Amino acid sequence: MHWTPEHAQPLNQWPEQHLDVSSTTPSPAHKLELPPGGRQRYHYAWAHDDISALTASNLLKRYAEKYSGVLDSPYERPALGGYSDTSFLNGAKGDPEPWPGPEPPYPLASLHEGLPGTKSGGSGGSGALGGSPVLAGNLPEPLYAGNACGGPSAAPEYAAGYGGGYLAPGYCAQTGAALPPPPRPRSYSPHRLRGTGPQRRCTTIPQGATQRSPAMARSRRPQAHPRAPYLTPGPARAHAPARAGTRKAADEGPEGRYRKYAYEPAKAPVADGASYPAADNGECRGNGFRAKPPGAAEEASGKYGGGVPLKVLGSPVYGPQLEPFEKFPERAPAPRGGFAVPSGEPPKGVDPGALELVTSKMVDCGPPVQWADVAGQGALKAALEEELVWPLLRPPAYPGSLRPPRTVLLFGPRGAGKALLGRCLATQLGATLLRLRGATLAAPGAAEGARLLQAAFAAARCRPPSVLLISELEALLPARDDGAAAGGALQVPLLACLDGGCGAGADGVLVVGTTSRPAALDEATRRRFSLRFYVALPDSPARGQILQRALAQQGCALSERELAALVQGTQGFSGGELGQLCQQAAAGAGLPGLQRPLSYKDLEAALAKVGPRASAKELDSFVEWDKMYGSGH
Ligand SMILES: Nc1ncnc2c1ncn2[C@@H]1O[C@H](COP(=O)(O)OP(=O)(O)OP(=O)(O)O)[C@@H](O)[C@H]1O
Ligand SMILES: [Mg+2]
């Protein structure tokens, strides 16, 4: 059957013709549901929520015929707006623009779901329509576009056109258990909706948005991620909601969003076998500062040394500075609450001798560590950047916002890369890095340890921005047998420093604590670290990258198969242990005499001597602790 103009009868007489009119006063619910436009346009009477079976049947018959005309001639289908019967659109002038093509019109989310009283999943108004043998199952969704059901709530902007008078709102509220479920709308495709008129825009309401206010619906729209987040970082909190979802993408590989986190192979093997190319000309290139001029005394890390030898450096305050890294080229003073606050004032109440010691021995001036230098850990790197680096570099501009975090705890198995990440944070912040080891601080005794600790915080404070990396944090705390803190010699000064008295609370200092025994931290210490991240062991791809890099430095290139076998055989190894494995293989092969490159056999032999230290039970305990106290990533 084809559509003919007589099918398009004025519809503004519907209510009188077909509905059981018993009241001329809208109920409060009706008042809410219908837009004022609809009510202003037509002052027809209001009806009961229920219509008689006969009325429904008449309606269905009439409009089944009408719509079947449209259905039968898909290619002649006039634009809905072309209907001369304006009352079909309830008085709204239709969109004269034709439909974009032979493609069926855009799917409409089930508007019925938005109606109060409509049961989800099958008893809604469309189910009622579907009750007609003509329409059941073959009525395409577009035909529901003009259905008044849910119009007011689903498409408030056009409700006047689609809502008020087409069908009484009660029509949709009518539930019918015997009726078939409403047809499922096709997937919502916002791209297809561009440039369409109001009618079509009505169909853009995504399913599930039908009960929300327009403002809510707008706020639910997916937010475009900044195109160049690393160059123009915004407030981290703005990105926080996307954390779980987006960070999964962090491991997507080099083409993913976190492309910069992709591990980069070693650029060139270095002669001394160090992990990183040595600084040129004796310059310290770490953290944007230059080392003392050539000839300055240089010492090994000595008693304060961590994994990386410390060099005696001139204070960045007095020394000539390197060109800052390109990522954060400026170190201009940040607005209030910012990270880079100029200071340089000599700290008061701090032992000058200790300060001198700290300045000369604790300032780490290793090469910069970029995100890409840390294999794997994509989600963690993203979390650190979003929750720490961005807020510190770009503090929120609006008053009353939270102060960016100044303390972070990295916990995980030994050698998992906690210190490496701490160094990376310093690089990203363009900050001076001061490194302390808990065991080293505790060794000379409580009084001396406390003096050094205070001096370290003070030194960090007077050369902002700075990162104070305290590894083996648990060594500063008392042993905890029964889970209760007994109070330790260095705990009190540590907490005092973390509270800000010595500078952690001051702008420009980030304290990074690391521990492989998070359970040793009592609540007071734990609370001082506003962020707590689990640094897990490297997964297979990350192990492969660490091995490749370490072996390349030994002049060893394994075949893909050998590397895969090695990766398989080193399950549970930390990054540090992988490094030890390569060193052991070199030692076992009589290297570094470098008579020959390392082979797979050397590595196999080394595997018998070097193994993973962390037990499954320990790893489980990290996961548990992370669940309870971790910040998640
Ligand atoms: N994800 C990684 N990518 C590259 N190198 C890594 C990674 N993890 C660890 N390493 C390397 O392993 C060695 C040990 O790392 P690091 O000192 O950071 O571990 P840690 O977690 O601080 O250990 P500990 O608990 O013993 O202090 C370093 O040489 C580091 O470069
Ligand atoms: Mg460490």
Side-chain angles (χ1 to χ4, degrees):
M1 178 172 185
H2 289 271
W3 177 85
T4 56
E6 65 258 23
H7 288 115
Q9 289 180 9
L11 302 184
N12 50 0
Q13 294 144 15
W14 282 10
E16 290 80 2
Q17 286 177 7
H18 299 290
L19 303 180
D20 297 334
V21 178
S22 64
S23 165
T24 54
T25 311
S27 71
H30 287 142
K31 275 180 186 161
L32 278 178
E33 285 163 17
L34 283 185
R39 286 201 298 273
Q40 281 162 11
R41 204 177 293 273
Y42 294 111
H43 296 280
Y44 52 75
W46 288 82
H48 273 312
D49 280 357
D50 296 328
I51 57 173
S52 68
L54 180 64
T55 304
S57 161
N58 283 340
L59 280 171
L60 290 171
K61 193 169 164 222
R62 174 183 287 254
Y63 289 98
E65 286 170 359
K66 179 172 179 171
Y67 289 136
S68 65
V70 179
L71 276 179
D72 288 348
S73 52
Y75 293 101
E76 300 159 20
R77 183 170 56 226
L80 272 183
Y83 277 98
S84 57
D85 181 5
T86 52
S87 62
F88 175 71
L89 299 175
N90 199 18
K93 196 78 185 147
D95 182 2
E97 198 185 321
W99 289 100
E103 238 184 325
Y106 306 110
L108 176 68
S110 178
L111 300 180
H112 311 283
E113 287 168 18
L115 287 176
T118 305
K119 282 182 188 163
S120 60
S123 58
S126 56
L129 277 176
S132 159
V134 181
L135 295 179
N138 64 8
L139 187 64
E141 298 89 333
L143 296 183
Y144 293 87
N147 194 322
C149 301
S153 53
E157 291 168 52
Y158 305 104
Y162 293 98
Y166 180 49
L167 287 179
Y171 182 78
C172 288
Q174 182 181 1
T175 56
L179 297 174
R184 285 194 66 75
R186 263 171 257 142
S187 61
Y188 166 62
S189 169
H191 303 294
R192 300 170 62 199
L193 304 166
R194 213 172 293 138
T196 56
Q199 281 180 335
R200 270 153 271 175
R201 270 203 277 161
C202 176
T203 66
T204 66
I205 305 296
Q207 190 169 15
T210 52
Q211 280 177 303
R212 295 186 194 108
S213 68
M216 277 177 72
R218 235 174 286 127
S219 72
R220 300 280 299 184
R221 268 178 223 150
Q223 297 290 315
H225 198 274
R227 281 181 59 227
Y230 314 118
L231 295 175
T232 55
R237 300 290 168 200
H239 302 282
R243 248 175 54 174
T246 55
R247 285 189 198 133
K248 294 296 168 208
D251 292 318
E252 279 173 6
E255 296 309 317
R257 176 185 153 210
Y258 292 93
R259 181 185 183 142
K260 65 169 182 161
Y261 295 145
Y263 188 73
E264 285 174 359
K267 278 141 201 149
V270 285
D272 61 356
S275 301
Y276 303 93
D280 311 335
N281 309 323
E283 284 178 353
C284 169
R285 298 173 60 182
N287 312 321
F289 296 106
R290 198 188 286 267
K292 269 187 176 175
E298 218 174 75
E299 287 176 20
S301 56
K303 74 177 190 178
Y304 296 110
V308 177
L310 298 180
K311 297 175 182 176
V312 177
L313 301 170
S315 158
V317 174
Y318 310 114
Q321 290 194 356
L322 259 190
E323 287 298 312
F325 299 132
E326 59 177 30
K327 187 184 281 186
F328 304 117
E330 284 174 25
R331 297 179 65 188
R336 193 169 61 87
F339 192 59
V341 177
S343 166
E345 282 189 17
K348 289 174 191 147
V350 178
D351 181 355
L355 196 62
E356 178 58 34
L357 194 66
V358 165
T359 307
S360 62
K361 302 227 171 155
M362 289 185 190
V363 177
D364 185 311
C365 212
V369 178
Q370 306 297 347
W371 294 117
D373 294 326
V374 183
Q377 311 283 10
L380 172 57
K381 289 187 280 186
L384 287 172
E385 181 162 67
E386 290 177 11
E387 297 190 30
L388 211 53
V389 175
W390 288 353
L392 284 172
L393 290 176
R394 302 277 188 274
Y398 41 92
S401 51
L402 286 177
R403 194 169 175 263
R406 303 297 159 109
T407 47
V408 59
L409 178 74
L410 301 177
F411 63 94
R414 301 216 64 175
K418 301 183 289 291
L420 185 67
L421 281 162
R423 292 174 56 205
C424 182
L425 282 172
T427 299
Q428 302 310 315
L429 292 166
T432 307
L433 176 64
L434 287 104
R435 294 187 64 168
L436 302 175
R437 270 181 65 209
T440 312
L441 278 178
E448 176 70 1
R451 208 167 60 90
L452 287 173
L453 195 61
Q454 285 163 358
F457 274 85
R461 190 181 186 179
C462 67
R463 46 172 63 71
S466 56
V467 168
L468 186 55
L469 175 61
I470 310 176
S471 43
E472 299 174 28
L473 201 61
E474 73 279 358
L476 300 178
L477 307 174
R480 301 174 71 228
D481 309 320
D482 55 350
L490 283 177
Q491 184 176 29
V492 174
L494 174 70
L495 296 189
C497 289
L498 288 173
D499 277 341
C502 295
D507 289 332
V509 180
L510 170 70
V511 180
V512 181
T514 77
T515 180
S516 52
R517 288 178 47 218
L521 270 59
D522 64 304
E523 198 202 332
T525 312
R526 198 175 59 232
R527 270 194 294 111
R528 296 314 199 278
F529 291 92
S530 41
L531 291 172
R532 299 177 282 262
F533 289 117
Y534 177 32
V535 184
L537 291 175
D539 57 8
S540 302
R543 286 203 304 281
Q545 290 163 353
I546 296 171
L547 280 168
Q548 252 180 332
R549 184 169 186 165
L551 292 172
Q553 288 167 0
Q554 312 257 13
C556 168
L558 298 180
S559 70
E560 257 184 44
R561 225 172 138 189
E562 289 170 336
L563 186 67
L566 195 58
V567 166
Q568 182 75 23
T570 52
Q571 213 154 5
F573 278 59
S574 67
E577 286 155 0
L578 292 173
Q580 284 170 18
L581 179 77
C582 297
Q583 282 171 8
Q584 176 64 40
L591 308 174
L594 285 177
Q595 309 302 323
R596 60 176 176 81
L598 265 186
S599 71
Y600 179 68
K601 282 204 165 147
D602 299 323
L603 288 157
E604 255 188 335
L607 265 179
K609 295 188 179 159
V610 181
R613 270 188 293 180
S615 66
K617 194 176 159 199
E618 261 179 290
L619 297 179
D620 285 348
S621 71
F622 285 125
V623 174
E624 283 307 311
W625 203 86
D626 185 35
K627 274 187 202 155
M628 281 198 289
Y629 306 113
S631 303
H633 54 79

